[in-house]
Amino acid sequence: MNAFLDALRERLGEAGLLTGGDLSAYENDWRKRYVGKALAVARPASTEEVAAVMHLCHEHRVAVVPQGGNTGLVGGSTPDDSGGQLVLSLSRMKRVRGIDIANASLTAEAGCVLAEVQAAAAQAGMLFPLSLAAEGSCTLGGNLATNAGGTQVLRYGNARELCLGLEVVTATGEVWQGLSGLRKDNTGYDLRDLFIGSEGTLGIITTATMKLYPQPKERLTALAACDSLDGAVALLGLARERAGDALTGFEVMNRASLALVARELPQLAQPLGPAEWTVLLELSDAESAEHARAVFEGLLEAAVERGCVQNAAIAQNLQQARAFWHLRESIPLAQAQAGLNIKHDISLPVSAIPGFVAEMDAALAAYLPGIDVIDFGHLGDGNLHYNVQAPVGVAPAEFLAAHEVAINELVYDAVQQRGGSISAEHGIGRLKREELAQRKDPTALALMRAIKRALDPLDLLNPGRLV
Amino acid sequence: MNAFLDALRERLGEAGLLTGGDLSAYENDWRKRYVGKALAVARPASTEEVAAVMHLCHEHRVAVVPQGGNTGLVGGSTPDDSGGQLVLSLSRMKRVRGIDIANASLTAEAGCVLAEVQAAAAQAGMLFPLSLAAEGSCTLGGNLATNAGGTQVLRYGNARELCLGLEVVTATGEVWQGLSGLRKDNTGYDLRDLFIGSEGTLGIITTATMKLYPQPKERLTALAACDSLDGAVALLGLARERAGDALTGFEVMNRASLALVARELPQLAQPLGPAEWTVLLELSDAESAEHARAVFEGLLEAAVERGCVQNAAIAQNLQQARAFWHLRESIPLAQAQAGLNIKHDISLPVSAIPGFVAEMDAALAAYLPGIDVIDFGHLGDGNLHYNVQAPVGVAPAEFLAAHEVAINELVYDAVQQRGGSISAEHGIGRLKREELAQRKDPTALALMRAIKRALDPLDLLNPGRLV
C-alpha cells in the first residue's frame, strides 16, 4: 500500500492526498449511520488527475469510493471500516467551465456545489431548476451519480432529464469525453444515462453539461385544503390541464404531518388550519405577475366548484411564499425533533396513491394501534415520504428495534404489488442493497450485474453498493 | 435449420411464421437501399412468444433482426442477404394495454402503429406528442429502438424522454418486466434508456409505458422571415423567454429549400415570399385561443422591433396552419422529385449552427461551384437536415458517385470539430456504422462493445448494426 500511496502523492501533490489527521468528514455520512475508515482521501484537481488515480487504483487493485458533498441518505459515499478503500473526493473540481446562453446549457465540474451552479445560471439570466434540501452542500457530480430529484421534478425532471452530456473516468482510468450540448444524438448506446444514477459503481463523473431554462417572470405559491387524497389527485389533473407546464410544484402533507409541525414548531403559522390533506402548489409563469395570479385564481375557483378543494390561500408576497414552502420543508425537521422514525421514500403511479395510502394506513393501525403516519411528498411525481412514527408514549428506539423490519415488509409489499418503487429519489447505496436484491425483477438484476462486470470487472468502483 | 424452423412453427402456429412466398416487404427497406434475404419471418403475438423465439434462436445460434414498421433510414431493420437471419416482426403485438388518465400514462405493445397510439390517447382526451413523417406506418417499438425524434422534440423530447417503462426480451429469451408508470425510480441502473436507441442490438422491446400530456386548448402556427440564421437563433431565444413551454415547434428552411419547393411543387402557396431563412413556429396554449394569439402577436412584434424578424404571418385557421406545416414537410418530397442528393442528419449546439452553416456553405461552394445546399430542420433542437444537391445540369447519380465521400468528410469533420452529432435522429444501423467507428470517442466505443458483449455474447441480436 505504501508504494500505491507514494505514487498517488507524487501524482497529486500534498494538497491532493490526505492520509492523516481527522478524516471523519469523509469517512462518516452526515446522519452518522455509517462510520468508516479510509485508506486515504484523494482530492484530484482535474479530470487528468482523476484518470491517474483510477490508473493507479487499477494497477494496485485498490477499491475506490467516489464522494461529492457526502449528503446522501443511503451510505453510498463513505468507505467501509476495512481501512482499505480510497475515498476519491471531487471537491476540488469546482469550476463552471462555461455557459452557452443561445444553447441554454451550462458545463460544470462534478465538485461544484448545487447552489453555486444555480447561482451561476442566475447570474447569466437563466434558471438551473434542480433544487433540493441539501443544495447548499451537495454537488453536481453527486446529484448525477444518484439521479437526484427534489421539488421541481414535476416540470423539469430529475437530474437525469436535466443532463445533456458527461465526461466520465472509467474503472481503468480511461476518459470518456461525452460532454455535449446536444438535444438530439442517436450515435450509439445511451452511456450518459447508464452512468447517471449508477452511484459511482460504473465510472466517475468528472464534468457535465446541463440544460438551462429561461427564468420565469413570476413564481406564485398557494396552499389548498382537500378533504381526501382523491381530491388532491383531482386537483393535480385540473392544475395540469389549466396551467400546463407552468405548474412547477405540487406537494402534499397529511393531517398528521402538519399536526406534528404544529406541536414541534409552534412558531410556524399554518394559514389554512387543519385539513385531511394540504396541498402546496407552485406556478411559474413566463408572462407576467398578473397573468400568473389570474391563472391561479381561476384554477382554485374551479377546484372549489368541483369540490376537490375546500379552502385555499395564494401567497401575497415573496415572504409569504417562502413561509408556505418552509412549512412543507419543516416536516423532516419536526420529525427529527420528535425522535427516530421509520422512513420510506416510495413512488407509485399517481392513480394508485389514494388506494395505497388508505390500505396502508389501515394496515398499520391494525398492526399497532396508535401508530402515527407522517405522509408527505411530491404527489405530482407520485413520490411519497411515507414515514412511520412511534405511538405516543413508546420510546422511538424501542419502536424501531421491535417493528422496523415488519413495517418495512408491509409497506414494500404493498408498493411492489402496485408496481411502485422502494427508492424514488434517495437511491440504494448500502442501506437498501439487500432489499433490492430481494425485490427487483430477477432479469433486471442479472442485466445490472452483467453490466457491472463488463465495465468494472475487478469490482473496484464503490464495491458493495447498489448492485 | 429445419429443426429450428419446425420448433418455431410448433410454438408460433402457422400465422406466426412465414417461410415462403413474397417476403420482400420484410427483407428490403422502403427506400430500396438494402435488399436482403431472410431465413424466415417470425410474427409472435405475445411477449411469451417473443421470449420463446429468442430461446430457440439462442439454442440454435440463429441471428435475429427485430422489425417494427420497417420505415428506418439506415438499414437497421432488414436482414442481410445471407438467408441465415430471422426477421422478428412485432407487427402482431398491437394492443393498447391501458390508459391511466390520473397518472397521465399509456401502455401499448411494440407493434402499435404510432398514429394508433396518438389516436388512443386523443380518444381518452389526452395528447401523445411523438410525431414524425412516418407516423402512419412506423411502430412504437421501432420508435423506441431508434429513439425517434420528429417535430415536437423541442417541447416534449425524443421517444426516450416520453418513455416511463419497458418490457424487454433479452438475447437468451428472458423477460425483463420493467413496465412502470413511475416518474421517479432510483432502484438501479437505467436499463430503460440503455435499450432505447440500441436499435435492437441489446434486447427486443415488446411493450412500453409512455407519458401522456393534456391536450392544449389551442395550437397556433406562424411563419417568420429572417435575414440571417443569427436572426432565427435570436428569435428562438425570444420565443423561449416569452412563451416558455408553449413553444412546441421551431423549424427553419433556407432560401434554397423553399426555392426547390417552388420549382418542384408550384401549387403550394408560399405566404411570405423568398427570404434567407423562413421559420415555422408553433405555439400550444393551455389556456385559450385568445391567449395564444395575444402571446404570438406580442412575440412577433417584439421580434420585428429587435430586427431579428423582417416579416411574419400567423395562420388564421386550421387549414392555413396545415398548409404552413405542409410547406415544411414537402421539402423532402421536392428533393426526391429533384433526384438523388447527399443527406446529412446532423445536430449541433444551437449556438454553433450559424457559424457551421456559414463555413460549410462557403466550403461546399469552393469545393464545387453551383452546388445547392437544401438546409432545413428542427433549429430548436439543434438538428439540421443539411442536404447537398447536384449543380444544375449535373446528373444526380454521377454527382453522388463522384462526390459523396468527399462531401461527407467535409461536413462530418466540421460537425465533429464543433461537438456535433453525425446522426441526430435517424440512428446508425448499417449505413453509418463504419463512420461511427471512425468518429466516435474511442472510450465510448469500447464501453459500447463491452456492454454488447455482456448482454449478447453470441452476437445474435441485429448483428452488424450500430456497434
Side-chain angles (χ1 to χ4, degrees), chain A residues 22-104:
Chain A
D22 179 12
L23 299 180
S24 61
Y26 299 95
E27 292 173 323
N28 308 332
D29 75 316
W30 66 276
R31 292 206 295 179
K32 305 280 186 290
R33 290 178 77 140
Y34 295 94
V35 175
K37 178 81 194 100
L39 170 65
V41 178
R43 300 172 67 242
S46 67
T47 304
E48 295 67 36
E49 289 190 2
V50 175
V53 172
M54 285 312 305
H55 264 299
L56 285 169
C57 287
H58 190 254
E59 190 185 326
H60 293 266
R61 306 292 193 257
V62 174
V64 171
V65 179
Q67 190 177 91
N70 195 14
T71 61
L73 299 168
V74 292
S77 62
T78 52
D80 65 18
D81 56 8
S82 68
Q85 300 186 328
L86 180 75
V87 172
L88 196 165
S89 166
L90 281 300
S91 55
R92 285 174 73 208
M93 290 190 64
K94 40 195 295 114
R95 207 158 51 94
V96 175
R97 287 202 197 161
I99 295 182
D100 182 341
I101 302 277
N103 196 51

Side-chain angles (χ1 to χ4, degrees), chain A residues 53-369:
Chain A
V53 172
M54 285 312 305
H55 264 299
L56 285 169
C57 287
H58 190 254
E59 190 185 326
H60 293 266
R61 306 292 193 257
V62 174
V64 171
V65 179
Q67 190 177 91
N70 195 14
T71 61
L73 299 168
V74 292
S77 62
T78 52
D80 65 18
D81 56 8
S82 68
Q85 300 186 328
L86 180 75
V87 172
L88 196 165
S89 166
L90 281 300
S91 55
R92 285 174 73 208
M93 290 190 64
K94 40 195 295 114
R95 207 158 51 94
V96 175
R97 287 202 197 161
I99 295 182
D100 182 341
I101 302 277
N103 196 51
S105 62
L106 168 152
T107 300
E109 293 178 346
C112 289
V113 170
L114 174 53
E116 295 167 0
V117 179
Q118 294 166 347
Q123 218 173 352
M126 302 289 282
L127 172 73
F128 180 61
L130 188 67
S131 177
L132 47 109
E135 63 196 23
S137 43
C138 66
T139 61
L140 183 61
N143 296 149
L144 287 165
T146 59
N147 187 27
T151 58
Q152 305 283 298
V153 173
L154 176 63
R155 161 63 192 89
Y156 299 102
N158 298 288
R160 181 188 310 290
E161 283 82 31
L162 291 170
C163 183
L164 292 170
L166 293 178
E167 180 187 78
V168 172
V169 173
T170 69
T172 52
E174 306 300 310
V175 178
W176 169 45
Q177 192 44 262
L179 287 177
S180 146
L182 305 180
R183 257 80 180 168
K184 277 182 170 175
D185 181 15
N186 279 344
T187 56
Y189 301 156
D190 184 7
L191 300 172
R192 177 190 69 202
D193 289 314
L194 187 60
F195 288 113
I196 294 175
S198 69
E199 302 186 11
T201 65
L202 296 179
I204 297 171
I205 295 170
T206 51
T207 308
T209 300
M210 308 297 293
K211 293 182 192 168
L212 299 179
Y213 288 84
Q215 293 272 12
K217 287 279 189 307
E218 176 70 316
R219 202 175 271 145
L220 277 187
T221 308
L223 292 177
C226 299
D227 271 351
S228 70
L229 206 40
D230 282 317
V233 170
L235 175 61
L236 174 63
L238 195 64
R240 275 209 186 110
E241 189 189 310
R242 294 181 69 120
D245 285 306
L247 183 70
T248 47
F250 197 95
E251 304 281 312
V252 293
M253 304 166 266
N254 73 347
R255 180 185 283 267
S257 304
L258 288 181
L260 182 73
V261 171
R263 208 162 67 227
E264 297 289 337
L265 304 161
Q267 70 277 21
L268 295 185
Q270 299 207 9
L272 292 189
E276 283 310 304
W277 290 88
T278 302
V279 180
L280 183 155
L281 300 97
E282 185 189 78
L283 284 195
S284 298
D285 197 281
E287 214 159 307
S288 67
E290 298 69 42
H291 182 253
R293 198 161 289 273
V295 170
F296 227 157
E297 285 170 356
L299 163 63
L300 291 170
E301 275 165 30
V304 170
E305 259 171 49
R306 287 204 199 175
C308 53
V309 164
Q310 277 62 54
N311 187 11
I314 301 177
Q316 292 305 310
N317 51 48
L318 198 60
Q319 195 186 349
Q320 212 171 24
R322 284 202 183 121
F324 287 7
W325 271 107
H326 188 58
L327 199 57
R328 156 68 183 83
E329 284 157 2
S330 65
I331 299 172
L333 179 61
Q335 284 210 284
Q337 288 195 17
L340 289 173
N341 60 81
I342 305 173
K343 291 189 195 298
H344 304 103
D345 165 39
I346 59 173
S347 65
L348 290 157
V350 173
S351 51
I353 283 184
F356 167 83
V357 170
E359 180 190 301
M360 194 44 47
D361 285 1
L364 288 171
Y367 170 79
L368 193 68

Side-chain angles (χ1 to χ4, degrees), chain B residues 287-427:
Chain B
E287 215 161 306
S288 66
E290 298 68 41
H291 182 254
R293 197 161 289 273
V295 172
F296 227 157
E297 285 170 357
L299 164 63
L300 291 170
E301 274 165 31
V304 169
E305 258 169 50
R306 287 206 200 174
C308 53
V309 164
Q310 276 63 53
N311 186 12
I314 301 177
Q316 293 305 311
N317 50 47
L318 198 61
Q319 193 186 349
Q320 211 170 25
R322 285 204 183 119
F324 287 8
W325 271 107
H326 188 59
L327 200 58
R328 157 68 183 84
E329 284 157 1
S330 64
I331 299 172
L333 179 61
Q335 283 210 287
Q337 287 194 18
L340 289 173
N341 59 83
I342 305 173
K343 290 189 196 299
H344 304 103
D345 164 40
I346 59 173
S347 65
L348 290 157
V350 173
S351 51
I353 284 185
F356 166 84
V357 170
E359 182 189 301
M360 195 44 47
D361 285 2
L364 288 171
Y367 170 78
L368 194 69
I371 218 165
D372 220 6
V373 177
I374 307 300
D375 184 4
F376 63 99
H378 322 289
L379 184 67
D381 318 318
N383 178 194
L384 294 179
H385 299 295
Y386 189 88
N387 299 340
V388 183
Q389 206 105 18
V392 176
V394 177
E398 282 166 35
F399 169 67
L400 255 70
H403 301 294
E404 185 164 23
V405 171
I407 287 177
N408 282 349
E409 196 174 332
L410 272 175
V411 171
Y412 291 149
D413 281 354
V415 165
Q416 205 174 350
Q417 264 167 36
R418 289 174 167 80
S421 167
I422 63 164
S423 185
E425 54 180 8
H426 297 167

Side-chain angles (χ1 to χ4, degrees), chain B residues 404-466:
Chain B
E404 185 164 23
V405 171
I407 287 177
N408 282 349
E409 196 174 332
L410 272 175
V411 171
Y412 291 149
D413 281 354
V415 165
Q416 205 174 350
Q417 264 167 36
R418 289 174 167 80
S421 167
I422 63 164
S423 185
E425 54 180 8
H426 297 167
I428 300 299
R430 278 183 276 180
L431 183 67
K432 294 185 183 170
R433 189 174 174 235
E434 287 309 313
E435 196 76 49
L436 189 76
Q438 298 300 317
R439 293 184 180 275
K440 186 95 176 173
D441 177 90
T443 306
L445 283 174
L447 291 166
M448 284 167 54
R449 289 174 184 143
I451 292 167
K452 170 69 173 173
R453 278 193 303 271
L455 301 196
D456 181 21
L458 302 178
D459 198 18
L460 297 179
L461 285 166
N462 225 2
R465 275 71 169 190
L466 198 142

Side-chain angles (χ1 to χ4, degrees), chain B residues 188-230:
Chain B
Y189 300 155
D190 184 7
L191 301 173
R192 177 189 70 201
D193 288 316
L194 188 60
F195 287 114
I196 294 174
S198 69
E199 303 187 9
T201 65
L202 295 179
I204 296 172
I205 296 169
T206 50
T207 308
T209 300
M210 308 297 293
K211 293 182 193 167
L212 298 179
Y213 288 85
Q215 292 272 11
K217 288 279 190 309
E218 176 70 317
R219 202 174 272 145
L220 277 186
T221 309
L223 292 176
C226 298
D227 271 352
S228 70
L229 205 40
D230 283 315

